[in-house]
Amino acid sequence: MNQTENLNGVVMCLILLAVETHPRYKLVFAANRDEYYDRPSEQAGFRPGAPGLLAGRDGRKGGIWTGVTRSGKIGALTNYRDPAAHRPGAPSRGLLVHRFLLGSEGPEDYLRSVLRKGDEYNGFNLLAGDLSEMYWASNRAGEVRRLDPGIHGLSNRLLDTPWPKVVRGKAMLGSVLSSPEGPSVESLFTILSDRTAAPDSELPDTGVGLERERMLSPVFIESPAYGTRSSTVILVDRDDRVTFVERTHDRPLDRPPDVRVEFTAGNLAD
């Protein structure tokens, strides 16, 4: 069996974020989106009909995996890896990010409202925040939690579950934050490009088999049909200046340029 067969419901991602841990930045966010290479996707940009929303878009169901708004809202999603419980007809989880970013509710209230209907969806982790706070919720945990200051990691279990890629990614992010140069866009992309596979003794058992656990274990995933499609870095400084950079990986011979946007949140004229 090909190592990417029967991965329904096992779409992977990794999000690393540092909340209120650096003197220059209130938020440092670095994430990989992993998907099948043949699933259509749109690069990040300000969305037609929603000019204040900056995000990529899933070309099949219209969902968003990571996005920000000019008003300062930030949302991101990972799937919860549980292939045995996957329901093909469940609603798109990516639309949860879209609704938060375009809605009027604050992050905590929005996540609580989502969890009231959480059993309608396949497993998810949802991050929702603004310029002052960041919250996490999962319909597999049934709770909403405000993120404490510090370094956090989220893959396809619960927040800060110590999967090897989460532990490794958090350690690398800590090193970047403590370096004299501090975090830069390229230093964060270097973390997101790490291809170190975990030893078998450290792999989780999530029901996909050992071969696929190995394939899915690095920060950056590569396989014939499935892997890391894009990486996103978001920096929010103390003056609410947002730097958003997306790098696409799935067309190495004709890779589009990075999408880089900078604006001051709340300043609609910026």
Side-chain angles (χ1 to χ4, degrees), residues 222-235:
E222 294 176 299
S223 79
Y226 177 93
T228 300
R229 298 279 303 273
S230 63
S231 302
T232 304
V233 167
I234 303 171
L235 300 170

Side-chain angles (χ1 to χ4, degrees), residues 157-187:
R157 218 59 173 182
L158 301 178
L159 181 70
D160 292 321
T161 296
W163 281 6
K165 61 166 48 177
V166 173
V167 173
R168 183 173 177 82
K170 289 169 65 175
M172 289 189 289
L173 180 55
S175 295
V176 166
L177 291 170
S178 63
S179 68
E181 298 82 9
S184 67
V185 169
E186 285 306 319
S187 68

Side-chain angles (χ1 to χ4, degrees), residues 9 64 77 79-80 86 91-97 121-124:
I64 291 171
L77 176 87
N79 294 351
Y80 183 98
H86 180 72
S92 170
R93 291 162 286 191
L95 295 178
L96 296 172
V97 181
Y121 296 86
N122 288 313
F124 65 79

Side-chain angles (χ1 to χ4, degrees), residues 52 69-73 101 131 263 265-266 268:
T69 68
R70 287 193 178 275
S71 65
K73 298 177 82 172
L101 294 174
L131 296 174
F263 61 91
L268 301 183

Side-chain angles (χ1 to χ4, degrees), residues 62-242:
I64 291 171
W65 54 92
T66 297
V68 301
T69 68
R70 287 193 178 275
S71 65
K73 298 177 82 172
I74 299 172
L77 176 87
T78 74
N79 294 351
Y80 183 98
R81 195 202 304 178
D82 187 7
H86 180 72
R87 293 173 295 153
S92 170
R93 291 162 286 191
L95 295 178
L96 296 172
V97 181
H98 189 274
R99 291 171 189 145
F100 167 65
L101 294 174
L102 291 183
S104 59
E105 285 185 284
E108 183 177 13
D109 289 342
Y110 178 76
L111 292 179
R112 293 195 185 282
S113 69
V114 166
L115 289 189
R116 285 195 285 271
K117 298 182 178 180
D119 58 357
E120 298 178 5
Y121 296 86
N122 288 313
F124 65 79
N125 292 285
L126 189 57
L127 290 170
D130 54 29
L131 296 174
S132 60
E133 54 191 1
M134 180 70 71
Y135 288 83
W136 161 82
S138 170
N139 64 343
R140 291 298 186 261
E143 65 172 309
V144 176
R145 185 188 309 173
R146 182 176 178 176
L147 270 61
D148 294 328
I151 297 173
H152 299 276
L154 182 61
S155 186
N156 299 91
R157 218 59 173 182
L158 301 178
L159 181 70
D160 292 321
T161 296
W163 281 6
K165 61 166 48 177
V166 173
V167 173
R168 183 173 177 82
K170 289 169 65 175
M172 289 189 289
L173 180 55
S175 295
V176 166
L177 291 170
S178 63
S179 68
E181 298 82 9
S184 67
V185 169
E186 285 306 319
S187 68
L188 297 172
F189 278 133
T190 296
I191 294 172
L192 295 174
S193 67
D194 184 84
R195 290 163 169 80
T196 304
D200 288 355
S201 61
E202 297 179 8
L203 293 174
D205 181 2
T206 61
V208 300
L210 179 59
E211 184 179 6
R212 278 168 279 183
E213 297 286 9
R214 289 170 177 159
M215 183 267 288
L216 296 167
S217 70
V219 170
F220 190 102
I221 295 172
E222 294 176 299
S223 79
Y226 177 93
T228 300
R229 298 279 303 273
S230 63
S231 302
T232 304
V233 167
I234 303 171
L235 300 170
V236 183
D237 71 14
R238 299 290 169 181
D239 296 319
D240 295 334
R241 186 75 181 172
V242 177

